[in-house]
Amino acid sequence: MRLIFRPIKRTFFYAFLVSLFCLPALAATPSEAKIEQLLSKMTITEKIGQTNLRGRSSRATGPLPEALKQTVIDGKVGAFLNVMKPHERDELQRIAVEESRLGIPLLFGRDVIHGFKTIFPIPLGLAASWQPELAESGARVSAIEATELGVNWTFAPMMDIARDPRWGRIAESFGEDPVLTSIFSVAMVKGFQTDDLSNPTAMAATAKHLVGYGAVEGGRDYNTSLIPEGELRDVYLKPFKAAADAGVASMMTSFNEINGVPATGNKLILKDVLRGEWQYDGMVVSDWDSVIEMIAHGFAADKKHAALRAADAGLDMEMTSDTYELYLEEIIAEGKLDIKQLDDLVRNVLRLKYRLNLFESPHRREVKESSILSAEHRQKAKEAALQSAILLKNNNSLPMPKKGTVALIGPLAHAAHEQMGTWVFDGRAKNNITVLDALQQELGNENVIFAEGLAYSRVMNHDGFTAAIAAAKKADRIVFVGGEEAILSGEAHSRADISLPGSQEALIKELAKLNKPLILVIMAGRPITMGNIIDYVDAVLFNFHPGTMAGPAISDLLLGKVSPSGRLPVTWPKSGAQAPIYYNHKNTGRPANDKDFVGINDIPVQAWQSSLGNDSHYLDLGFRPAYPFGYGLTYSQFSYADLKLDQSQIKIGGSIKASAIIKNTGKREASEVVQFYIQDVVGDVTRPVRELKNWQKITLKPGESRTVTFELQTDELSFHNIAMQEVVEAGDFNLWIAPNADSGLKGHFELIE
Ligand code: NOJ
């Protein structure tokens, strides 16, 4: 086999992505001359000031402290986060531009993650829609709302590849796949920034967390990541590259170390890859205190050493800790860091401020009429929630008839705060519509008998069971809305056991005894393992916390106004003990398979010690997940037939087309996510068993069929070989047009030189 060497480059695929979503090279191209001019006037204190990102508690009361104002007057701060009172922001900006010596405006950052006041589904939910345009429209709505109050920089999108559902921050991710994540990340960047950052409703986006944060050991937050460089480049860095190509304004380093070097002081990532290979000229900010956390990591001896490590690696702005402010001047005076290195950091900060047009237009935009939580914004949030719900099981009990009575039980049926999910600093429960609100509206109060059973998801006692069972007895069918409270996922909220918390399972089992249709609706921040509970219920409609409009969306889905069309953006394990778990794994030398599987109860007592018959699986859990990546049902069925490839051999540099006929064989209009996977059978380094390359979400009427065609450029088959060259190798490839990562029509082609 011959290796085709290609220099590290923008692949066709990403060129394609860029053409779809990309911002025409940050239209407000800043004048480098202006940056140089300004830089030449700056004192070293003012330069260091630009690298400081200071926080203020959003709960702070009383007037702005005089000392804080003085810091701004002295040019000792470049940006703030969490200043949430608009008049305080206005005042600080006024001081920066009118009272500081050089009048350099401030950045105001905020975690606007999946909505500002109008809350959209958590990012994992947005990814479950497989409709990047919904992520873009969510980000657009967020930017319009947040810029109205003066936020000009958001710490989103998060594009960490997450293969472990125990990790709480999987909620903020787009899941486990690098292509899905890249496309959703780029869509969100476009939604936040538009194609012109100087647009008054544009907000600078942040690609975070650079990098490998999703690979933390055991799913424990802040932990260690060990990722071989090839995989780092082919999987974990891929979304960041796509975002860089799409003009993302800034990036945030992650808390974790990667292969022994904390991300915040990582020269390979920040210098060689980002600035060298990618020529990225946006700004790089640390995560909260991640500069000083390099001391605990054992990578820096003290704060001064941490400042040196971070600045030398090329970190432009330090979030909340103050090592740059305290030590950079001294470090430069001692000759350990060249002033030119500081100048480079400052250039990147100033460039962002020019791109945002802050020098010309530093203040919050004036609005005649607020669009916050407008009907249009809420409708967009509802659409995203509708398209994100995943039907995991259905024994003909969904959609439910409008006639008859419903017992609505469960801790999330009327939990306006919880349905928003993690990272919603600005969302408020009072603005949200719950499932109870929506079903009462649809069916009439008298037809919805509500008893939560458990006041919140973790309740262990059974005190509310009697009332819940009594309510269920009176109704024709039961809808149990459970899951996880918002606080059980997100940063620092990893779980080892990812089943339904509290005594939810016990209550479901009691309700099942009534022999009435029992529908389980789950809202959660991660896949929730269901064990044998799945056998007690007739249907499961799963929602990653859907946000403000959870109620109306779930009600429409339950009543069949819309057929569910979400598909899993992550592999769904049977138990947290299977994690990490992901579809694009390697084959191993002893791939698990159904034929050879030996279960724990198949082993004779006092069996002779032998590995024969066993392969890479667990005796007690097998090797399959509960549901594969890409999986989801709807109220209709689809058939896949007639796979055709336009060639069986392709030359490197060319492309191949594959098509199949997808038919709606059921009785309702519904959407299908048609997925396109490949496998590179033999490689210089081993390749995954499948890799998603593309998909199309199509809607078909009953009986309708459509030929779905995918075109694959051979550059999309590239990967990093042992020598860390990005290569496309000649050889055999499998491909699938499939409803999920574990099935589909299989074809084959050969790639030739
Ligand atoms: C820490 C989190 O890791 C990061 O995602 C967030 O943007 C910052 N804190 C700021 O709140």
Side-chain angles (χ1 to χ4, degrees):
M1 182 181 305
R2 194 153 72 91
L3 293 186
I4 309 299
F5 172 71
R6 287 166 191 268
I8 291 166
K9 64 191 177 309
R10 299 184 166 121
T11 62
F12 282 177
F13 177 67
Y14 286 97
F16 166 70
L17 255 188
V18 168
S19 70
L20 270 186
F21 300 111
C22 173
L23 325 177
L26 286 166
T29 307
S31 155
E32 293 297 314
K34 282 188 193 162
I35 295 175
E36 293 311 316
Q37 220 179 22
L38 189 51
L39 200 59
S40 69
K41 293 186 202 150
M42 293 171 82
T43 62
I44 189 161
T45 308
E46 286 163 340
K47 287 178 182 175
I48 294 169
Q50 286 305 305
T51 69
N52 286 337
L53 168 56
R54 291 283 157 263
R56 174 158 163 83
S57 163
S58 21
R59 296 180 179 207
T61 50
L64 283 169
E66 287 308 313
L68 186 77
K69 291 189 197 173
Q70 192 59 45
T71 321
V72 178
I73 296 172
D74 295 342
K76 288 185 173 168
V77 58
F80 281 99
L81 82 161
N82 297 342
V83 176
M84 283 319 289
K85 297 194 179 87
H87 69 272
E88 289 191 350
R89 229 182 261 136
D90 293 347
E91 174 65 351
L92 288 169
Q93 192 68 300
R94 191 200 59 73
I95 295 173
V97 295
E98 290 176 15
E99 295 184 29
S100 75
R101 195 176 72 88
L102 294 170
I104 303 175
L106 296 161
L107 292 167
F108 289 105
R110 180 72 165 167
D111 286 288
V112 181
I113 306 294
H114 53 108
F116 184 60
K117 300 277 183 189
T118 306
I119 303 300
F120 282 70
I122 56 171
L124 196 55
L126 289 171
S129 74
W130 294 61
Q131 287 178 242
E133 68 277 13
L134 295 176
E136 182 181 333
S137 99
R140 190 81 290 274
V141 164
S142 311
I144 290 170
E145 293 192 352
T147 55
E148 194 178 311
L149 295 187
V151 179
N152 50 31
W153 179 29
T154 176
F155 304 127
M158 175 173 130
M159 47 193 77
D160 292 302
I161 299 296
R163 294 169 161 181
D164 192 330
R166 295 171 299 180
W167 187 48
R169 304 200 78 169
I170 194 171
E172 294 170 64
S173 80
F174 298 119
E176 73 191 36
D177 183 74
V179 169
L180 191 72
T181 300
S182 299
I183 291 180
F184 270 81
S185 302
V186 170
M188 261 190 133
V189 169
K190 177 158 190 212
F192 284 129
Q193 298 192 171
T194 73
D195 50 13
D196 179 359
L197 261 184
S198 70
N199 172 348
T201 67
M203 201 166 36
T206 307
K208 74 182 188 186
H209 306 84
L210 189 67
V211 61
Y213 189 23
V216 284
E217 275 182 3
R220 292 181 291 276
D221 208 0
Y222 313 120
N223 220 278
T224 304
S225 295
L226 289 166
I227 310 172
E229 189 177 334
E231 192 172 328
L232 188 67
R233 289 173 176 276
D234 291 331
V235 177
Y236 291 88
L237 280 169
K238 210 160 197 161
F240 291 90
K241 174 66 164 64
D245 286 347
V248 71
S250 66
M251 299 211 187
M252 184 189 291
T253 61
S254 51
F255 286 125
N256 56 287
E257 63 163 72
I258 312 130
N259 305 335
V261 180
T264 301
N266 198 309
K267 275 192 190 168
L268 169 72
I269 306 294
L270 303 185
K271 277 212 164 132
D272 301 350
V273 174
L274 208 61
R275 305 297 188 190
E277 294 171 22
W278 299 358
Q279 299 286 298
Y280 180 67
D281 69 356
M283 188 181 87
V284 178
V285 62
S286 77
D287 202 342
W288 187 286
D289 279 356
S290 69
V291 174
I292 48 170
E293 287 183 9
M294 290 197 291
I295 302 170
H297 274 292
F299 189 69
D302 50 28
K303 279 174 125 184
K304 184 172 168 185
H305 192 203
L308 173 61
R309 288 280 213 186
D312 196 31
L315 180 90
D316 301 319
M317 186 176 269
E318 180 179 8
M319 187 192 290
T320 58
S321 56
D322 54 3
T323 71
Y324 279 16
E325 186 177 351
L326 294 176
Y327 297 107
L328 274 193
E329 189 166 351
E330 197 176 314
I331 290 169
I332 291 168
E334 287 167 1
K336 292 181 183 140
L337 192 83
D338 199 309
I339 183 84
K340 288 192 187 126
Q341 288 179 275
L342 173 62
D343 287 351
D344 281 342
L345 312 185
V346 179
R347 275 189 191 96
N348 295 329
V349 177
L350 296 178
R351 189 175 298 116
L352 174 55
K353 294 183 175 183
Y354 275 111
R355 283 180 170 159
L356 279 166
N357 201 28
L358 289 179
F359 287 89
E360 298 292 318
S361 176
H363 291 290
R364 161 159 81 90
R365 80 192 156 91
E366 301 275 335
V367 286
K368 286 206 187 77
E369 210 178 308
S370 171
S371 64
I372 286 177
L373 286 158
S374 68
E376 187 193 339
H377 289 184
R378 294 166 74 88
Q379 180 51 38
K380 286 185 170 158
K382 179 181 172 187
E383 182 60 19
L386 273 171
Q387 301 299 331
S388 301
I390 305 159
L391 185 65
L392 291 175
K393 174 177 178 176
N394 191 13
N395 282 350
N396 288 326
S397 50
L398 283 178
M400 12 182 250
K402 226 178 152 178
K403 272 199 352 233
T405 48
V406 174
L408 186 63
I409 318 280
L412 275 97
H414 192 47
H417 172 78
E418 311 305 346
Q419 70 188 37
M420 291 189 289
T422 186
W423 279 115
V424 281
F425 286 152
D426 300 288
R428 295 290 174 267
K430 66 177 175 16
N431 301 320
N432 304 336
I433 305 178
T434 67
V435 178
L436 174 65
D437 300 333
L439 279 181
Q440 283 180 334
Q441 169 89 21
E442 281 295 325
L443 305 177
N445 288 3
E446 64 288 3
N447 293 318
V448 183
I449 309 161
F450 174 60
E452 60 193 3
L454 303 162
Y456 55 96
S457 72
R458 285 166 290 159
V459 168
M460 290 304 296
N461 68 49
H462 292 197
D463 298 354
F465 279 28
T466 312
I469 292 163
K473 279 186 177 159
K474 287 188 225 150
D476 297 318
R477 56 190 57 81
I478 308 163
V479 174
F480 183 97
V481 188
E484 285 178 324
E485 298 148 68
I487 196 64
L488 298 187
S489 59
E491 185 181 345
H493 291 86
S494 296
R495 295 177 63 205
D497 171 1
I498 55 170
S499 62
L500 285 170
S503 50
Q504 294 184 71
E505 290 194 4
L507 179 52
I508 291 168
K509 285 182 179 164
E510 287 304 317
L511 295 170
K513 289 182 186 160
L514 302 178
N515 282 324
K516 299 188 178 192
L518 176 52
I519 295 151
L520 175 59
V521 175
I522 304 182
M523 299 187 209
R526 55 164 65 79
I528 293 293
T529 55
M530 284 179 282
N532 68 0
I533 252 332
I534 193 80
D535 303 325
Y536 288 77
V537 299
D538 297 295
V540 180
L541 182 67
F542 183 85
N543 308 264
F544 292 111
H545 290 122
T548 298
M549 300 300 279
I554 290 171
S555 156
D556 281 7
L557 291 160
L558 292 175
L559 295 168
K561 289 190 183 177
V562 179
S563 300
S565 69
R567 300 290 184 269
L568 291 176
V570 280
T571 304
W572 190 293
K574 292 175 191 156
S575 149
Q578 279 178 305
I581 186 165
Y582 48 101
Y583 82 93
N584 47 357
H585 58 81
K586 301 295 184 68
N587 213 16
T588 81
R590 296 193 185 188
N593 65 86
D594 291 313
K595 194 166 67 51
D596 297 332
F597 176 67
V598 178
I600 195 159
N601 295 322
D602 303 331
I603 306 171
V605 178
Q606 295 190 0
W608 183 248
Q609 168 66 46
S610 166
S611 60
L612 291 181
N614 280 325
D615 42 43
S616 185
H617 63 235
Y618 294 110
L619 293 175
D620 43 5
L621 282 174
F623 58 94
R624 292 191 184 286
Y627 303 104
F629 174 84
Y631 178 85
L633 304 169
T634 183
Y635 296 156
S636 204
Q637 295 80 40
F638 292 92
S639 66
Y640 283 60
D642 215 9
L643 177 71
K644 286 204 178 93
L645 276 65
D646 67 346
Q647 317 154 59
S648 56
Q649 277 193 336
I650 334 171
K651 259 185 152 351
I652 291 174
S655 66
I656 186 171
K657 280 190 182 144
S659 65
I661 298 173
I662 316 300
K663 182 171 182 186
N664 181 343
T665 58
K667 294 196 176 69
R668 283 171 172 266
E669 176 171 302
S671 300
E672 173 72 345
V673 177
V674 185
Q675 299 157 40
F676 181 54
Y677 297 91
I678 65 103
Q679 180 193 19
D680 185 347
V681 180
V682 177
D684 177 51
V685 293
T686 58
R687 309 300 306 135
V689 293
R690 275 198 194 198
E691 294 174 81
L692 180 77
K693 289 295 163 189
N694 207 339
W695 72 90
Q696 290 179 39
K697 190 167 182 178
I698 58 169
T699 303
L700 298 177
K701 296 201 165 31
E704 188 184 351
S705 44
R706 186 171 308 163
T707 303
V708 174
T709 305
F710 294 99
E711 180 165 6
L712 177 82
Q713 310 288 339
T714 60
D715 270 26
E716 293 175 55
L717 302 172
S718 72
F719 64 94
H720 286 82
N721 66 8
I722 292 178
M724 280 311 116
Q725 299 156 327
E726 191 179 2
V727 295
V728 176
E729 288 183 353
D732 285 336
F733 285 79
N734 293 319
L735 66 73
W736 291 262
I737 293 185
N740 58 61
D742 195 31
S743 61
L745 304 173
K746 184 175 180 184
H748 172 260
F749 65 90
E750 193 189 350
L751 192 58
I752 55 170
E753 287 161 28

